[in-house]
Amino acid sequence: MAAIDTGRCQTRRNLNMAKKRNTDGSGQKDERYVPPESLERLLSYTRSDELGSALSAFTQPLLQSVVNATPQGVSPNLISLIALCVVMAGSGNVMLHGRVTDESLHNPSNETSHFKDSEKNLVLYIVYGISVLIHQFLNSVSRVLARQRPGTVPALNDLFRQATNTIACVFVFMGTLLSMQLGSSTMLWLGTMFGLVTWYMVQWQSYVTGKPVRIFSKLGVPELNTMLGVIPLATGIAGPQFWRIPLFTEWITINSVLFLFLVLQSFKTIARYWEIILSGGPGEMGTTPAGTACLSPLPPICFVLLIARQLLVSDSFDHMPCVALFGVGCIWAKITIKLYVAHLSRSAFSLSDVVFLPSLGILANTWTGAWYLLDHAIGFEFSESALIFGLAAFSGANLVTYVGSVLYEISIECDHSIMGVATVKN
């Protein structure tokens, strides 16, 4: 019988060494994203049974054949990374070339509008829709491969896949909403916020109860992702005018009905999970599986929505909505991934985070005019566009740094490469 050499025999020794390193001779603490005791619980994490779905059962034969044909040297994390890159490329093209503004809807003859550009580049929507479907399929392959292939580290694979899925949500939500030809940056903002808050509440509920849940009551992640992929395919095949076909009156169109349906489903999901969270966890006195108190998810929601709303009313938002929403989305993604780390490690979740610092700067500028005072002090003009780009760059870099650092710390402790596969010895 084959014995799997994943280096776990060194886990206890590494953890003890980490605890000794936690305070060096100078009395300074060794800064780590994941404390040693949390790493110990992460490495002892075992996968729970996943919720089935009708689409997963339908595609299971094809999925299993792809998993069986996957070379031994291809790791589940590598497949998850490829899936993320595919959907980011597809969504990025739509953000750059396929945006439709209010002006383009009311004045299609305007040469400066994005309407004509989207007409000439319908292939972008088709490519994006295919990229979403590919992302969903590769994500399923990664999940099954991680469960069936010997030598994988559950915490490392599940956290990597969850992190890539969370980052992909930011791009998928914006790309799909742009594909619906809503014609308003405000509608884009509203739909993206509802989508990100829903995903955030799903993870918060899992942290409180310790149980996986569906995003919508009857729809699993595969069904939802498939629907989000079909929408841009419809745009590319039928054209942007398809979404503006009147149903009852000229003000009620296909895209407005679909948008309303998605928002209502998101609101229903948020309300349902809010009730679950307020009812407490499975521990004594309603604590979480980690034994910590059930913190309210409201403070992060209120703060991030406040920042997002401030960006919405800024003069620069209409010119760069995707950049602003990307920055806010990275903040949501960082909080959501921190929740998932706390869920896997059964540790306390901290509400404070350095990713909020640029947001505080934007609020300070709005309420006190700090940047304008700085302009007069040093004679250099700071624009709102520069602040938004700064927010997007900082939050994106901080998100990548956090995810990479956590994965690196786990890989070091279990002596397993993040992108590699375990060696099998006879």
Side-chain angles (χ1 to χ4, degrees), residues 138-399:
L138 291 180
N139 189 59
S140 299
V141 171
S142 172
R143 173 179 52 81
V144 175
L145 193 66
R147 287 177 173 267
Q148 295 183 359
R149 176 158 292 178
T152 59
V153 181
L156 193 61
N157 296 134
D158 288 6
L159 178 58
F160 191 96
R161 187 170 61 255
Q162 184 69 18
T164 54
N165 286 342
T166 302
I167 297 172
C169 281
V170 179
F171 291 89
V172 171
F173 291 152
M174 285 192 289
T176 300
L177 288 167
L178 289 169
S179 302
M180 290 171 60
Q181 309 296 303
L182 296 171
S184 169
S185 57
T186 302
M187 300 288 280
L188 173 64
W189 179 92
L190 183 63
T192 304
M193 290 302 104
F194 265 103
L196 294 175
V197 172
T198 302
W199 185 255
Y200 163 82
M201 289 295 292
V202 169
Q203 300 307 321
W204 197 290
Q205 187 277 156
S206 298
Y207 170 69
V208 170
T209 64
K211 300 178 181 179
V213 292
R214 299 183 188 275
I215 296 181
F216 294 157
S217 57
K218 296 182 180 180
L219 290 179
V221 174
E223 289 83 0
L224 180 60
N225 282 343
T226 301
M227 181 178 65
L228 296 178
V230 169
I231 290 174
L233 286 177
T235 305
I237 295 173
Q241 297 87 346
F242 167 76
W243 296 108
R244 295 191 287 274
I245 296 176
L247 294 180
F248 306 102
T249 67
E250 60 178 343
W251 301 104
I252 302 178
T253 56
I254 294 179
N255 58 358
S256 62
V257 172
L258 179 59
F259 180 79
L260 182 61
F261 168 77
L262 293 175
V263 167
L264 290 178
Q265 285 293 325
S266 296
F267 185 81
K268 179 182 176 181
T269 302
I270 293 170
R272 179 160 57 94
Y273 291 152
W274 188 280
E275 183 179 358
I276 295 175
I277 293 170
L278 292 182
S279 63
E284 296 182 3
M285 304 295 292
T287 57
T288 67
T292 59
C294 295
L295 300 175
S296 171
L298 190 59
I301 291 177
C302 291
F303 183 77
V304 178
L305 287 181
L306 178 63
I307 298 301
R309 191 254 176 201
Q310 187 56 49
L311 293 175
L312 174 64
V313 300
S314 66
D315 296 333
S316 302
F317 184 82
D318 285 337
H319 303 291
M320 46 193 307
C322 293
V323 176
L325 291 176
F326 171 77
V328 176
C330 287
I331 297 176
W332 279 121
K334 172 74 179 294
I335 301 172
T336 305
I337 295 172
K338 281 183 62 178
L339 270 172
Y340 194 72
V341 173
H343 166 61
L344 293 187
S345 62
R346 295 180 179 269
S347 58
F349 174 74
S350 175
L351 293 176
S352 60
D353 197 283
V354 69
V355 76
F356 294 123
L357 289 180
S359 305
L360 293 175
I362 292 178
L363 290 180
N365 177 54
T366 303
W367 294 341
T368 66
W371 289 108
Y372 297 107
L373 295 176
L374 191 61
D375 290 346
H376 293 291
I378 65 176
F380 185 81
E381 183 177 356
F382 291 91
S383 64
E384 277 187 338
S385 299
L387 290 177
I388 294 176
F389 272 114
L391 169 68
F394 180 86
S395 57
N398 184 260
L399 169 63

